[in-house]
Amino acid sequence: MKNTRITTLALAISAQLISQNSAQAAEQTNRLTDKNIENIIVTGSRVFESIDEVPASITVISRAQIEQHLKVSPELQSLLAIYVPGMAPSTGTSSNAGQTLRGRAPLIMIDGVPQSTPLRNGSLDIKTLDPSAIARIEVIKGATSIYGNGAAGGIINYITKKPSSKKLSGEVNVSSRFSMVDTDESVGGRLEAAINGTLDKLSYLITASYEQSGVQRDAEGDIPGLQYGLSDTETQNYFTKLSYQFDPQKSLQLSYNFYSAAQKTDLADVSGDINLGEKTYAVHVPKDQQLLGKPPGQDGNTNLMLKYTDEALLANTQMAIDFYQQDIENTFFYSPSFANPDEGYTGGQSIIKSEKMGARATFNTQIDFDKVETSFIYGVDALNDITSQPLADGRIWVPEMDMQNLAFFLQTKWVIADDLIFKLGIRQDDIELQVDDYQTLKQCKSATQCQASIDVTGGTIDYKATTYNAGIKYNWSPLFSPFVSYSQGADISDIGRLLRTATVTDIALIRTEASIIDNYEIGFNSQLSTDLRLEFAAYRSTSELGTSSSFDANTGVYLPVRAPQKIWGYEALVDYRINPQWQVVATYSYVEGKNTEADIYLGAQQIAPPKATVNFSWQPISDISLSLSYLHVADRKRFAENDSGNYVGDQGPVENYQLLNLSAQYKFNQQWSVFIGIENLLNEDYFPAKSQSYRYGGYNVKGLGTTANMGLKVVF
């Protein structure tokens, strides 16, 4: 794994992948490695650059690592938790709420196109593309404004595969996943298929995946509760990329992605109390007792992008222009918290709807002086984001928010005498957010706990933010390459959450101000030998107006709290190739945070417990490979019980747990191979960190017990 934090993210569309030889060399590793580290190319500062010229930290997850994890699980949440220091543990559900990056929400992207819905964050954005279509993942840690709103914790960019240079090639994967604790009803099936190639100037890539899961089972053989559950889920993904190369410098690329996931089941929950250590689990029930409403999940995440690239616009200038459109409709589970007996509602089901249209122009100009190589990356971004969260029955919970965002940016890089790298950047955002008059939703948790409805006058909110970033890296020697960086992010995330809980009559009176996040980082990389590499980074992140939540006992509703925050932590990595057959990668990450106004610790919505991982890879012969991954989640106990002896909100204590996963592959020949993966090999009986800390109803579900995945892969 590569861990060198970067203050700006790549525009990784049609990314030039690492050479096949490098990818094969990394196939049995747990991070992207190369003895000549400077030869690894990442897409930093929205253009391609060598990793040794990045004065900050970034984690790159290679295709080999993705395939290794796919043998165990198709869940990107658990993949990121294992390979990315600073990423919170997986929730074990379809929701990534609470799975923050360095204590703040990351912006999820596919080839540079935003997938998150920051105006109303539903936390379903990590699962927007099937991993079978991904070539690599770049994780940028710490607040950054290079792509605008929503990247308070950094950016996770899924870079899709590149077509083969052959006329026709492809692969088919067939697998089945099932519980080894109790196989009854747990058997599911998964099919992946891809074809790609190049015909003269036209290249193409088409991937498709379909999965029907059975019921999930915990270590005791019970079916975990259904709130954001994964049992009986149908998942589909179709991705297409077409590229036309006019000449060696000019190309046009069209990409399309469709992703959907829906839980269709006859199960219902048997509720437990996490304060008593009781889990919520699911059982089969008659139709009149099953979940009401539409099947929850992603009804369809659709992306369309057109990109034109000219590598020689001028003698020393490259240009990339892209247009993109994204439509999202995420349906959430039916909840009695939307009850309104006065109007005849016993509950309801919310739907986040988001439509984005954007255009971006990026230019890269190089000017070389005596012993100084300079790059100037500059351009303009335009985005229209229309997001709302109505209920399926027609009631409005979050009114429609129409955001217009225009931004200009300049990023410079100075390489002095090949060893000293200095970066400096600026971005100016002008944002206009329009909200019509609306009425807050009356909700009743019980007959005595109701949130009153309020008429709110809408209007236009204007935001102007100038953000900066700077970094220095000194490649003194392979033994020690230190860096220090500073970056800012302008964040107006989750305005919808503020609007839906309004207690005033005018939008101008709601604390919707943008939050400017200052991120500081210091670290180093050390290549102590060709086989041993160390990485370390420490960081501090501050914001004058963060957003957390507080429980209102009178209404039963969690209200937003805007207050200054400080988040800090550190990460370390050791990568040691013992011999050509064995390699081990170990990581440790620690994050903590406080509301500095009240001097109280932040809850689990932002702060995860400490985490350690160890990944072993073994390839005894060329046709056999095995890997073992270990995840340890440590204790976090920062809060006291209330007067009733219970924990509230996201303040529950986390008890440590550990998971062990095993995967193996055998190649019959260049075309045929079989594989097996086992998740939670030792059948650890545990509540995931989120299930322990979240004391909201329905989150107290246990993690998966021992689960096997077996499959066959054919390459042609």
Side-chain angles (χ1 to χ4, degrees):
M1 187 164 34
K2 252 215 151 317
N3 180 17
T4 357
R5 187 179 124 25
I6 189 173
T7 54
T8 56
L9 174 70
L11 177 65
I13 304 169
S14 67
Q16 175 65 42
L17 299 182
I18 301 167
S19 69
Q20 289 295 318
N21 289 337
S22 296
Q24 291 170 2
E27 185 170 351
Q28 300 308 317
T29 71
N30 284 302
R31 71 177 188 89
L32 197 63
T33 59
D34 194 301
K35 291 182 179 180
N36 298 313
I37 201 69
E38 67 274 9
N39 292 332
I40 295 179
I41 303 299
V42 297
T43 45
S45 304
R46 298 173 63 142
V47 298
F48 305 118
E49 62 183 343
S50 177
I51 195 88
D52 72 332
E53 296 180 357
V54 178
S57 62
I58 177 173
T59 292
V60 179
I61 304 175
S62 70
R63 178 61 199 171
Q65 294 168 303
I66 296 171
E67 289 185 349
Q68 188 179 80
H69 187 78
L70 271 172
K71 296 179 179 67
V72 175
S73 169
E75 297 301 321
L76 285 167
Q77 273 197 45
S78 57
L79 170 76
L80 293 167
I82 290 173
Y83 290 119
V84 181
M87 193 79 184
S90 171
T91 67
T93 68
S94 63
S95 169
N96 50 274
Q99 192 175 22
T100 54
L101 180 60
R102 288 187 172 179
R104 301 184 189 273
L107 178 66
I108 310 298
M109 310 183 86
I110 298 176
D111 287 337
V113 175
Q115 305 301 300
S116 303
T117 55
L119 294 180
R120 174 71 278 273
N121 187 0
S123 300
L124 296 177
D125 44 359
I126 283 182
K127 295 181 62 172
T128 50
L129 179 68
D130 191 84
S132 63
I134 301 174
R136 75 179 188 271
I137 302 172
E138 290 183 358
V139 182
I140 312 306
K141 304 172 193 175
T144 175
S145 63
I146 194 66
Y147 273 97
N149 184 44
I155 299 174
I156 300 174
N157 193 20
Y158 301 146
I159 301 173
T160 57
K161 290 181 175 178
K162 183 181 178 181
S164 165
S165 59
K166 299 179 181 178
K167 289 186 177 180
L168 174 64
S169 61
E171 66 179 62
V172 177
N173 286 268
V174 181
S175 61
S176 179
R177 201 160 182 256
F178 56 90
S179 170
M180 296 181 68
V181 181
D182 183 354
T183 59
D184 186 33
E185 300 182 285
S186 71
V187 179
R190 175 179 171 85
L191 174 65
E192 305 169 20
I195 59 171
N196 63 92
T198 300
L199 304 172
D200 194 18
K201 296 183 177 182
L202 177 68
S203 60
Y204 63 93
L205 169 71
I206 302 172
T207 71
S209 65
Y210 176 86
E211 182 174 5
Q212 177 64 62
S213 69
V215 300
Q216 311 288 297
R217 295 195 181 274
D218 62 25
E220 298 175 311
D222 294 321
I223 303 171
L226 299 183
Q227 190 157 295
Y228 299 109
L230 297 171
S231 293
D232 295 334
T233 299
E234 181 184 65
T235 305
Q236 302 178 67
N237 186 216
Y238 307 100
F239 178 81
T240 300
K241 180 188 291 184
L242 300 174
S243 301
Y244 188 81
Q245 196 77 35
F246 297 100
D247 58 41
Q249 288 77 39
K250 301 179 182 64
S251 64
L252 184 67
Q253 179 177 283
L254 177 67
S255 300
Y256 171 81
N257 180 61
F258 174 83
Y259 182 91
S260 70
Q263 186 181 51
K264 303 174 182 179
T265 185
D266 63 351
L267 299 166
D269 282 345
V270 177
S271 297
D273 186 344
I274 189 63
N275 284 301
L276 300 176
E278 299 172 352
K279 66 183 179 183
T280 292
Y281 62 97
V283 296
H284 293 284
V285 295
K287 188 172 180 61
D288 60 349
Q289 299 177 30
Q290 294 171 16
L291 291 175
L292 301 175
K294 299 170 58 179
Q298 289 131 310
D299 287 348
N301 177 5
T302 304
N303 289 266
L304 186 66
M305 185 178 67
L306 184 67
K307 178 186 177 184
Y308 175 75
T309 302
D310 189 341
E311 298 293 341
L313 179 67
L314 299 173
N316 59 347
T317 299
Q318 298 86 46
M319 176 187 71
I321 298 177
D322 64 79
F323 304 89
Y324 63 90
Q325 180 178 4
Q326 185 211 31
D327 293 327
I328 285 180
E329 189 166 305
N330 292 333
T331 301
F332 296 85
F333 51 85
Y334 188 91
S335 173
S337 66
F338 294 115
N340 184 346
D342 294 344
E343 297 184 14
Y345 295 106
T346 59
Q349 189 173 24
S350 73
I351 304 171
I352 289 181
K353 298 182 178 182
S354 179
E355 298 179 5
K356 299 188 190 79
M357 292 189 67
R360 298 175 295 199
T362 302
F363 301 88
N364 181 19
T365 299
Q366 300 88 36
I367 302 175
D368 293 343
F369 304 99
D370 183 29
K371 294 185 178 181
V372 178
E373 300 175 7
T374 63
S375 297
F376 298 88
I377 302 125
Y378 49 96
V380 59
D381 294 345
L383 171 65
N384 179 214
D385 183 347
I386 301 175
T387 300
S388 62
Q389 191 174 14
L391 299 190
D393 55 34
R395 289 179 288 167
I396 300 299
W397 193 20
V398 177
E400 185 173 276
M401 299 166 286
D402 189 340
M403 184 186 78
Q404 303 281 347
N405 186 183
L406 183 65
F408 300 90
F409 63 90
L410 170 65
Q411 185 74 30
T412 67
K413 180 173 69 175
W414 309 73
V415 182
I416 304 170
D418 295 328
D419 296 326
L420 183 63
I421 297 94
F422 176 71
K423 279 193 173 184
L424 182 65
I426 183 173
R427 180 182 173 100
Q428 173 65 45
D429 277 277
D430 292 311
I431 301 175
E432 181 181 279
L433 185 70
Q434 175 68 43
V435 179
D436 292 335
D437 297 348
Y438 71 99
Q439 186 180 70
T440 62
L441 185 68
K442 181 178 180 179
Q443 301 178 65
C444 293
K445 294 282 186 179
S446 67
T448 59
Q449 281 187 320
C450 286
Q451 181 186 25
S453 179
I454 297 175
D455 291 318
V456 182
T457 301
T460 301
I461 307 172
D462 293 316
Y463 303 93
K464 292 185 183 297
T466 304
T467 52
Y468 304 90
N469 68 77
I472 300 175
K473 184 175 184 180
Y474 181 40
N475 292 323
W476 177 67
S477 79
L479 297 177
F480 188 62
S481 296
F483 65 84
V484 60
S485 68
Y486 167 73
S487 62
Q488 289 184 309
D491 187 40
I492 61 168
S493 292
D494 232 347
I495 294 296
R497 186 177 167 206
L498 302 173
L499 298 181
R500 77 186 189 190
T501 54
T503 57
V504 294
T505 58
D506 195 310
I507 190 176
L509 302 176
I510 303 173
R511 298 200 69 185
T512 57
E513 302 100 309
S515 177
I516 300 297
I517 301 163
D518 295 299
N519 191 79
Y520 308 85
E521 183 174 12
I522 186 170
F524 67 87
N525 308 317
S526 293
Q527 190 77 43
L528 300 181
S529 69
T530 57
D531 299 319
L532 178 60
R533 179 173 175 80
L534 306 178
E535 298 179 357
F536 177 83
Y539 57 89
R540 182 173 180 266
S541 172
T542 62
S543 57
E544 292 301 317
L545 202 61
T547 302
S548 57
S549 62
S550 175
F551 181 70
D552 186 340
N554 294 322
T555 63
V557 174
Y558 288 87
L559 298 175
V561 175
R562 307 294 312 269
Q565 295 178 349
K566 178 177 67 174
I567 296 174
W568 66 94
Y570 61 90
E571 301 160 2
L573 176 145
V574 179
D575 182 349
Y576 180 45
R577 179 169 289 280
I578 302 169
N579 56 43
Q581 290 76 40
W582 282 94
Q583 182 165 10
V584 59
V585 180
T587 73
Y588 181 80
S589 53
Y590 173 89
V591 60
E592 192 52 270
K594 275 190 171 184
N595 172 336
T596 55
E597 184 175 73
D599 193 28
I600 57 175
Y601 286 101
L602 298 175
Q605 283 187 347
Q606 290 184 257
I607 306 301
K611 183 189 71 173
T613 66
V614 182
N615 292 278
F616 291 95
S617 298
W618 181 42
Q619 188 170 14
I621 59 175
S622 60
D623 296 330
I624 297 177
S625 59
L626 295 96
S627 66
L628 193 67
S629 66
Y630 170 78
L631 169 70
H632 174 79
V633 177
D635 299 335
R636 185 176 189 252
K637 301 175 183 179
R638 294 298 192 190
F639 305 98
E641 299 170 331
N642 62 13
D643 294 339
S644 301
N646 295 324
Y647 296 94
V648 297
D650 61 347
Q651 298 182 353
V654 176
E655 298 282 351
N656 69 84
Y657 58 91
Q658 41 275 320
L659 300 174
L660 196 65
N661 299 332
L662 173 70
S663 67
Q665 176 178 279
Y666 176 71
K667 291 184 177 181
F668 296 103
N669 50 45
Q670 292 297 318
Q671 286 75 43
W672 293 82
S673 61
V674 293
F675 59 85
I676 183 172
I678 301 178
E679 184 174 2
N680 193 1
L681 181 66
L682 302 180
N683 200 37
E684 175 90 352
D685 188 8
Y686 73 103
F687 286 97
K690 177 182 174 180
S691 296
Q692 297 184 56
S693 55
Y694 272 43
R695 299 305 165 111
Y696 315 101
Y699 286 95
N700 54 321
V701 297
K702 285 193 171 182
L704 288 185
T706 303
T707 303
N709 185 47
M710 303 175 64
L712 171 70
K713 178 178 180 179
V714 182
V715 179
F716 59 89

